[in-house]
């Protein structure tokens, strides 16, 4: 049985360093990565990378996806342009399709009310509190948090973000997932041996 693709949201000012660990190892694990933009017009990341979206947000359906990844971007905090992506995240979660949000995308989900009743994390608690959301009591000071199909992480935790995504989709599990995290987060050379033995 073929796997559904993973959809990576792309938009101007996206933080291109935040999703690379996840998408690279998802692809190595057999998942197709498809980019989704507000339209199919090219977007430019913070790092100046130009990305041509594979499809427009209006054409994205939860039942056709394994996961929606929302990276951070300056636009999450400066305009309402990305609000449609947060609304799409709501539809995904309602349909039982997981969502992963990092950095500014967590603020977008907070504004959408999606963090009010789920454990979550982000850059810092007061960053999310500034959105006026009602979920402050569910904030956890951790590198990444997964709760009922929603993964959240702060901007300095792309490896932990990747760990949660790879674990959720079953790309790596148990000691292999732990070794993957230790290798890329801690440069633990002993972790490499575990991954090599597992063929990961």
């Amino acid at each position: 049985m073929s796997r559904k693709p993973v959809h990576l949201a792309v938009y101007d000012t996206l933080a291109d360093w935040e999703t690379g660990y996840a998408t690279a190892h998802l692809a190595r694990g057999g998942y197709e990565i498809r980019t989704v933009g507000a339209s199919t017009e090219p977007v430019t990341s913070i790092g100046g990378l130009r990305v041509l979206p594979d499809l427009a947000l209006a054409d994205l359906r939860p039942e056709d996806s394994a996961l929606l990844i929302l990276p951070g971007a300056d636009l999450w905090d400066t305009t309402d342009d990305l609000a449609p992506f947060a609304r799409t995240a709501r539809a995904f979660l309602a349909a039982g399709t997981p969502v992963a949000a990092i950095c500014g995308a967590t603020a977008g989900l907070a504004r959408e009310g999606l963090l009010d009743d789920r454990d979550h994390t982000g850059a810092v608690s007061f960053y999310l509190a500034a959105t006026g959301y009602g979920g402050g009591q569910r904030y956890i000071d951790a590198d990444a948090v997964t709760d009922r199909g929603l993964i959240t992480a702060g901007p300095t935790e792309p490896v932990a973000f990747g760990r949660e995504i790879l674990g959720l989709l079953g790309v790596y599990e148990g000691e292999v997932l732990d070794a993957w995290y230790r290798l890329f987060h801690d440069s633990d050379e002993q972790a490499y041996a575990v991954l090599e033995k597992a063929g990961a």
Side-chain angles (χ1 to χ4, degrees), residues 73-115:
D74 291 344
L75 293 182
W76 282 112
D77 295 321
T78 59
T79 74
D80 292 328
D81 291 356
L82 302 186
F85 288 91
R87 290 194 291 272
T88 298
R90 176 180 291 283
F92 266 60
L93 293 170
T97 304
V99 173
I102 185 168
C103 188
T106 62
L109 298 191
R111 291 184 193 98
E112 184 63 20
L114 295 175
L115 305 185

Side-chain angles (χ1 to χ4, degrees), residues 30-123:
Y31 281 93
E32 177 189 6
I33 308 299
R34 302 202 70 210
T35 53
V36 56
S39 72
T40 55
E41 292 298 310
V43 300
T44 304
S45 75
I46 289 176
L49 300 178
R50 285 175 53 82
V51 180
L52 184 66
D54 294 312
L55 74 160
L57 189 62
D59 298 322
L60 178 62
R61 302 184 310 168
E63 59 267 30
D64 298 331
S65 184
L67 171 73
L68 173 62
I69 301 176
L70 299 173
D74 291 344
L75 293 182
W76 282 112
D77 295 321
T78 59
T79 74
D80 292 328
D81 291 356
L82 302 186
F85 288 91
R87 290 194 291 272
T88 298
R90 176 180 291 283
F92 266 60
L93 293 170
T97 304
V99 173
I102 185 168
C103 188
T106 62
L109 298 191
R111 291 184 193 98
E112 184 63 20
L114 295 175
L115 305 185
D116 289 355
D117 62 353
R118 283 181 172 87
D119 289 344
H120 60 275
T121 193

